[in-house]
Amino acid sequence: MSGAIELAAQVIDRVLAGHNALEHYHALRAAHPVTEPGAWGRVRDLSWSALRDYGWGRWVLARLAPRGVPEPVLAPLLVALSALRDGPRDAHALTHQSVSCVRARQERLAGFANALLRTFLREREALHPEALAEAARASAAVPAVGPEEQDVAVAHFRHPRWWIDKVRAQHPLDWEGVLHAGNTHPPMGLRLNRRRIDEAGALARFAEAGIAVRHVGPMALLLERPMPVAKVPGIAEGWVSPQDVGAQFAARLLAPVDGERVLDACAAPGGKSAHLLELADIELTAVDVEESRLVPLRRALARLNVSASVLRGDARHPARWWDGRPFDAILADVPCSGSGVARRHPDIKWLRRAEDVTGFARQQHEILEGLWPLLKPGGRLLYATCSIFAEENEEQVRAFVKRHRDARPVPLGDGRETLGLLPDETHDGFFYALLRKTA
């Protein structure tokens, strides 16, 4: 266990230095081959839980160590506090192993870590995030004062204060539920390949395997308990693919038709491209800006035995890669803050800054301007993000329609011109708007 705590702490160290958690996790796996069953799953669980709990962990440390925590032991203590938060049966063993991890990093701080963790265990109920709910709501209702690590709203809601304030202002009826969802484990959705299996056949296969699933949408299933992708029935055969249920709206809303020429403009890692090819016999061009991101895209298409023209290119500058032939339909799944998928990538909450949202909105503006001339008259463009922030969603679309008289919003579902999905127990957070080119 102490080895898992140290490896998880190394992931946290890298995030605190401003780096991506998943990239470092994979680098650690490559550098430290471990053969014990479930060992790396344990490391990931410890890391991701500590990142979800980061705002609370810093608040606890500020309470228990008001003079500050030495930097070498900050990450191990954050991992330990998160693991101890709900009072596991092996709490004392876990404390001992965490202290051993600290001792290996800096021996003179082992006593400090031991005393702090044992104090936490005695006071755990009063320091638990749920015990802070009333004070957190009161704090969130007024402007923040003082350092963020002392803000009880950050501790309870476990999001940065600027994020809490933005969600509260933009989703006044749902803000607490949205923040709560951001701290949960993400659901595992599956997309059925209708070319190879129907819903009844898939449900029968899962029942035979003893795996509980729910039918939650057209060709969409939700696992009751997430599991390793490789163990999902039908993955190797290509009749099922892992994809969040909310992300599956993209291809269905664009609704490709046989014979159409379609562009997936920000295509990696390939789930939406594959879905488009499952829905219709189309001529698909899949583009992404980084060559490294095209590797999983090609892999996704190969697994399903479908083909597309895969190009490296920047959607903001199509003249560098476009062949001049207009498209019938374009999917613009643009780069964004990722605020709708923060529970899946919990480092996002702490790596993002408020000003980053403005930067993403500027990039989205440039992508829309770059792609619109590629669409033929009568064609349609689906604008998509995995954000819940209005600057990247409704405001972006309204501004685009105002600039382009030949852009007409197409009603989605119940007549609304946009579709915003807030994260819940079924799906992550997404935004969609379908635009038709009138001339």
Side-chain angles (χ1 to χ4, degrees):
M1 170 67 78
S2 58
I5 292 171
E6 171 56 29
L7 291 170
Q10 289 182 36
V11 174
I12 305 305
D13 281 330
R14 294 299 290 166
V15 173
L16 294 180
H19 300 281
N20 179 276
L22 189 59
E23 288 180 5
H24 190 61
Y25 170 79
H26 287 308
L28 282 175
R29 288 197 68 163
H32 301 275
V34 177
T35 57
E36 298 173 36
W40 280 105
R42 178 61 170 159
V43 172
R44 179 158 175 162
D45 284 346
L46 288 167
S47 306
W48 266 235
S49 292
L51 289 168
R52 290 189 185 99
D53 286 344
Y54 175 75
W56 169 77
R58 290 303 302 262
W59 181 85
V60 170
L61 291 176
R63 294 287 296 266
L64 300 184
R67 294 184 180 181
V69 174
E71 185 176 347
V73 301
L74 175 58
L77 288 177
L78 289 170
V79 172
L81 287 172
S82 181
L84 292 168
R85 187 193 68 196
D86 294 320
R89 286 179 294 178
D90 60 346
H92 290 290
L94 200 154
T95 299
H96 174 75
Q97 291 152 0
S98 301
V99 172
S100 296
C101 172
V102 169
R103 182 177 290 108
R105 286 187 165 211
Q106 199 159 97
E107 186 171 1
R108 67 180 181 83
L109 295 175
F112 167 82
N114 183 63
L116 186 146
L117 292 177
R118 292 190 182 278
T119 300
F120 170 74
L121 287 175
R122 290 194 300 270
E123 301 180 12
R124 185 181 61 83
E125 285 192 21
L127 297 173
H128 194 277
E130 295 310 311
L132 311 175
E134 186 175 346
R137 293 187 188 101
S139 175
V142 298
V145 177
E148 188 164 271
E149 61 265 26
Q150 296 178 9
D151 189 333
V152 70
V154 173
H156 171 69
F157 293 113
R158 288 173 279 167
H159 285 70
R161 183 56 192 251
W162 70 266
W163 192 309
I164 295 170
D165 292 344
K166 187 180 289 290
V167 172
R168 190 171 184 270
Q170 295 183 356
H171 303 284
L173 300 180
D174 304 296
W175 69 279
E176 287 196 58
V178 169
L179 295 172
H180 172 72
N183 295 320
T184 61
H185 289 265
M188 187 169 178
L190 300 173
R191 183 188 78 245
L192 303 182
N193 183 352
R194 72 176 187 181
R195 293 179 181 266
R196 301 192 183 181
I197 199 167
D198 60 17
E199 289 156 347
L203 290 170
R205 287 281 300 271
F206 279 100
E208 290 170 8
I211 299 172
V213 297
R214 282 191 288 146
H215 177 219
V216 292
M219 304 305 288
L221 301 180
L222 190 71
L223 286 170
E224 294 290 345
R225 294 173 60 90
M227 62 190 301
V229 171
K231 295 185 178 181
V232 175
I235 284 289
E237 301 92 331
W239 58 262
V240 65
S241 298
Q243 188 179 34
D244 185 85
V245 173
Q248 295 181 37
F249 277 73
R252 297 204 305 267
L253 289 172
L254 191 60
V257 176
D258 288 353
E260 285 190 323
R261 178 170 160 80
V262 180
L263 171 65
D264 187 351
C266 307
K272 296 180 180 69
S273 289
H275 195 186
L276 289 167
L277 290 164
E278 290 170 1
L279 292 179
D281 293 320
I282 58 175
E283 180 187 347
L284 179 69
T285 300
V287 177
D288 208 273
V289 71
E290 294 180 20
E291 185 64 37
S292 62
R293 290 173 56 82
L294 297 179
V295 174
L297 193 157
R298 292 191 177 98
R299 189 182 301 127
L301 299 182
R303 182 178 64 84
L304 296 169
N305 194 29
V306 293
S307 62
S309 175
V310 178
L311 304 174
R312 180 188 176 190
D314 189 332
R316 296 172 296 182
H317 307 292
R320 300 173 185 175
W321 50 265
W322 181 41
D323 64 6
R325 293 189 295 149
F327 293 96
D328 298 286
I330 297 175
L331 172 58
D333 183 16
V334 297
C336 67
S337 64
S339 50
V341 296
R343 60 182 172 189
R344 201 171 294 276
H345 305 284
D347 52 332
I348 284 176
K349 293 189 293 186
W350 313 109
L351 293 175
R352 293 281 185 263
R353 298 292 179 266
E355 57 270 23
D356 293 340
V357 178
T358 301
F360 279 115
R362 186 181 307 113
Q363 186 178 9
Q364 293 151 5
H365 165 94
E366 293 169 355
I367 289 174
L368 282 172
E369 293 298 325
L371 293 177
W372 194 245
L374 279 59
L375 191 64
K376 65 173 56 174
R380 61 207 184 278
L381 181 149
L382 183 71
Y383 177 79
T385 77
C386 54
S387 173
I388 58 171
F389 295 149
E391 298 92 325
E392 304 177 272
N393 295 341
E394 296 91 346
E395 293 178 14
Q396 186 73 252
V397 173
R398 279 198 298 267
F400 181 83
V401 172
K402 187 174 181 179
R403 292 194 305 271
H404 293 267
R405 293 187 177 181
D406 60 347
R408 179 172 61 84
V410 178
L412 301 175
D414 59 1
R416 292 176 298 172
E417 293 184 350
T418 63
L419 174 62
L421 303 176
L422 297 177
D424 61 19
E425 70 281 357
T426 302
H427 54 69
D428 289 335
F430 293 91
F431 174 84
Y432 297 106
L434 186 62
L435 303 175
R436 188 173 296 279
K437 196 171 193 178
T438 59

